[in-house]
Amino acid sequence: MLIEFKFSNYRSFRDEACLSMEATGLRAKKRSLISFKPADLLPAAAIFGKNGGGKSNVIRAFWLGAQFIRNAQRTQHENSPVPIKPFLLNDHSADEPASFEYTYVLDGVKYIYGFSATRKNILREYLYYAPKGQRAMVFSRENQYFMFRENSEKKRRELISAAVAENQLYFSVACTMNEPACAAAMRWFREYLFFSRDYTDIPEQLLEYSEDPGMLKAITSYAINADLGIEDIRFEVKNAELSVEELSIAGMPEEIKNAVEQFMQALSASPNVAEGSLKMGQVSATSFHAGVSRDGSHTRYPLPLEEESDGTRILMALAPAVERALELGGVLVVDELENGMHPLLAAFLVSKFQSPDTNRNHAQLIFTTHNIQLLNEELLRKDQIYFVDKDRRDGTSTLYSISEFSTPTAENILKGYLAGKYGATPDITPEEVW
C-alpha cells in the first residue's frame, strides 16, 4: 500500500509535490478506508486540472521513478544518462537534482525509499524500514559515500557498494545480488505496482493471459457488466513452434531471419534444450452482440475486437490491471482514466476500489481525470480529491488537496470548482451564441 509519494524538479514541477494517501479525520465513507496505523489510508486518489496544467506529470514522475528503480542495474552503463527531465523554465533547475521518494507498506513492514539525481549521477539515495515498528536505516548514500548499519549484513553491503557506478542505484544493484532487505523492499515496485496500458497492447495482453482463464473471464465480465452491448467474448489461442528450417518465410528480411537463426542455434547448443525452436503464440478475441435475423428472431452476431469502439477496447485493456491490483492488493496508476469512456463507466471502475466488498485486499487507484462528475462526493471523499494548477508567471505546476481549503461539510465541490474557487480550471470565455 502506498502511504505517500514525493517528487521535485521534474518536468513542470520545480518545487516538491506530495501525493498523500493518508486519510484525514472526515467522517464520510469511513467504510471505504484501508485500516492502518497511525492513520487510515485512502483506496483511491483523483487528480483534476486543466489541460497543460501538469497533472499528467504527476503520473509520469511516479512511473519514471518506479521504472528507473526496477531497471537501473540493467540500463545504466558507464556513460548512460540518468533518465530524468528537470524543470526547464528558469536558468538553474536544469543543473539541479530531481528527487523521488516512496513511502509504502508491504507485508506489514513500512519502507521509505528515495533518491536524488542529475542527468549525470546519483547524488543521494536511502532506504529505511520499520520491521518492528521502529524506523531503522538499511543504507544511506551521498554521492559515492555509503553508510550502513552495524550488523551482520554490513560487510556484504559494503562489498555491493563497490560495484555501484555513479549513475546507478545501490537499491537496484543490491537486489541483483540478493541482499535480503533490499530484495524484500523491491518486491513492492516489481510485483505490486501497475500502470495503465494503451488498448493497442490488447493482443499482447491477451497472449500474456492466454493461460489464465480467470483473467480472460474477468475481461469478459467487465465488458458485459459495463453495458457495452457485448453479451459474450470468445478467445481463440493458437500456439506453434517453428524450427530453423521453417524460418524460410517469404518476405522475411534476411537480417531478421539470420538473427533468429543464431538465437535458435544458441538455444539448441544448450544442454537443457533438445532442439532449437521458436514458440509463436496468437490470441484472437471475438465479441458477440445481440441482433435480429431476417425472420425476426434474436441472434448473437460476432464482431472482431478491432471493430469495437475505442472506449470498449480501453476498458478491456484496463480490466487485467484492475483485476490484478484488486487480487494482490497493489497500486494501479492511470493517466486520464475516462479517456474514451462514458463518465459512468469511469465511476464504475473507481467504485471497484472504493467498495470494501470488491477491494478486500486493500488495493489503491491513483488517476488523473477530467470527469468532473466525480466531484459530487457520492463516490469520493474530499481528501481523495487533488488538483494540479500551473502558475502563469513562472510556469511551475503545483499539486494540492482540497483538504487544504476550509470547505464546509455541505459545500458543493463541483459548483465551487467550476466557479474557480480551487483553481486548476482553464481561464476561457466562450463566444456568445445567438
Side-chain angles (χ1 to χ4, degrees):
M1 298 175 291
L2 177 70
I3 298 176
E4 187 176 77
F5 171 59
K6 295 179 180 179
F7 68 99
S8 63
N9 196 26
Y10 179 76
R11 289 186 179 266
S12 60
F13 285 86
R14 181 193 62 198
D15 304 320
E16 183 177 86
C18 177
L19 177 70
S20 174
M21 299 300 284
E22 289 190 327
T24 62
L26 294 174
R27 295 182 179 180
K29 299 178 180 62
K30 295 189 72 171
R31 186 170 173 263
S32 68
L33 298 179
I34 299 170
S35 180
F36 187 72
K37 292 182 179 180
D40 290 338
L41 300 179
L42 302 170
I47 304 172
F48 295 83
K50 60 188 176 185
N51 292 110
K55 62 184 182 299
S56 290
N57 288 337
V58 179
I59 303 301
R60 288 170 176 165
F62 201 110
W63 179 87
L64 182 279
Q67 288 297 99
F68 186 56
I69 291 164
R70 289 167 173 172
N71 302 308
Q73 84 282 2
R74 291 187 290 123
T75 60
Q76 294 305 104
H77 304 296
E78 183 179 0
N79 295 317
S80 299
V82 179
I84 62 169
K85 293 184 179 295
F87 183 77
L88 297 176
L89 300 183
N90 60 29
D91 58 0
H92 55 87
S93 293
D95 298 320
E96 296 174 352
S99 297
F100 305 83
E101 181 183 276
Y102 301 82
T103 303
Y104 57 97
V105 178
L106 179 62
D107 297 333
V109 178
K110 180 179 177 180
Y111 294 93
I112 302 173
Y113 173 75
F115 71 92
S116 298
T118 63
R119 293 280 291 173
K120 293 182 178 180
N121 59 322
I122 309 299
L123 300 182
R124 185 168 180 247
E125 186 185 5
Y126 51 89
L127 174 64
Y128 294 88
Y129 72 150
K132 298 179 181 178
Q134 190 77 19
R135 192 174 97 157
M137 179 182 71
V138 177
F139 72 88
S140 182
R141 168 190 188 180
E142 297 288 341
N143 294 302
Q144 290 303 94
Y145 176 68
F146 298 84
M147 292 169 283
F148 307 100
R149 292 181 65 201
E150 292 288 346
N151 59 19
S152 59
E153 292 291 333
K154 182 178 181 182
K155 181 58 68 177
R156 180 180 183 181
R157 290 169 180 166
E158 288 176 339
L159 291 173
I160 294 172
S161 68
V164 179
E166 291 183 349
N167 62 348
Q168 289 182 315
L169 296 177
Y170 175 91
F171 188 28
S172 302
V173 175
C175 287
T176 65
M177 299 185 181
N178 297 316
E179 195 283 316
C182 289
M186 180 65 79
R187 285 185 55 236
W188 186 77
F189 290 96
R190 291 183 173 167
E191 300 176 23
Y192 291 86
L193 272 187
F194 304 92
F195 296 91
S196 61
R197 297 167 68 174
D198 191 79
Y199 67 78
T200 56
D201 287 337
I202 288 182
E204 178 185 339
Q205 291 188 65
L206 293 179
L207 189 59
E208 180 180 341
Y209 298 117
S210 61
E211 296 181 4
D212 185 348
M215 190 60 74
L216 297 181
K217 182 179 179 181
I219 295 173
T220 303
S221 175
Y222 273 62
I224 294 173
N225 293 335
D227 192 25
L228 301 172
I230 296 175
E231 296 191 349
D232 193 16
I233 300 177
R234 294 178 188 173
F235 302 93
E236 183 179 1
V237 182
K238 298 179 182 179
N239 287 312
E241 289 190 355
L242 298 178
S243 65
V244 176
E245 291 75 19
E246 293 173 313
L247 281 173
S248 300
I249 303 173
M252 175 182 281
E254 194 64 28
E255 61 272 16
I256 296 180
K257 176 184 172 183
N258 292 337
V260 175
E261 284 182 347
Q262 292 176 17
F263 171 70
M264 293 171 65
Q265 287 168 2
L267 282 180
S268 62
S270 170
N272 298 321
V273 180
E275 60 179 10
S277 62
L278 184 67
K279 291 186 177 181
M280 305 289 287
Q282 182 180 1
V283 179
S284 59
T286 303
S287 58
F288 289 82
H289 294 251
V292 180
S293 62
R294 182 174 298 178
D295 62 6
S297 60
H298 289 272
T299 309
R300 286 181 175 179
Y301 289 93
L303 193 66
L305 183 61
E306 57 268 21
E307 296 297 326
E308 294 288 354
S309 70
D310 286 353
T312 298
R313 288 185 286 170
I314 288 170
L315 176 65
M316 292 176 66
L318 272 175
V322 171
E323 282 299 298
R324 190 52 54 87
L326 291 171
E327 176 188 352
L328 296 178
V331 180
L332 174 59
V333 184
V334 184
D335 192 19
E336 296 190 7
L337 178 68
E338 79 288 351
N339 187 16
M341 290 191 291
H342 191 280
L344 292 179
L345 191 51
F348 164 73
L349 291 178
V350 176
S351 70
K352 290 276 190 178
F353 291 81
Q354 289 290 96
S355 171
D357 297 326
T358 49
N359 189 7
R360 300 183 182 90
N361 297 316
H362 302 154
Q364 293 170 300
L365 172 67
I366 298 169
F367 64 98
T368 66
T369 182
H370 289 290
N371 182 6
I372 58 175
Q373 292 188 22
L374 295 177
L375 289 170
N376 61 16
E377 294 187 79
E378 292 182 4
L379 189 61
L380 296 171
R381 292 160 44 106
K382 288 181 180 178
D383 53 4
Q384 293 181 278
I385 298 171
Y386 277 83
F387 298 109
V388 171
D389 205 357
K390 182 177 285 188
D391 190 309
R392 287 185 174 184
R393 183 178 61 84
D394 60 13
T396 59
S397 293
T398 305
L399 173 69
Y400 53 95
S401 169
I402 199 172
S403 300
E404 298 176 26
F405 293 83
S406 297
T407 56
T409 303
E411 179 166 308
N412 187 314
I413 302 299
L414 174 58
K415 186 176 180 179
Y417 176 65
L418 292 177
K421 179 176 181 178
Y422 315 117
T425 55
D427 184 13
I428 55 175
T429 302
E431 293 291 335
E432 188 173 358
V433 178
W434 294 86

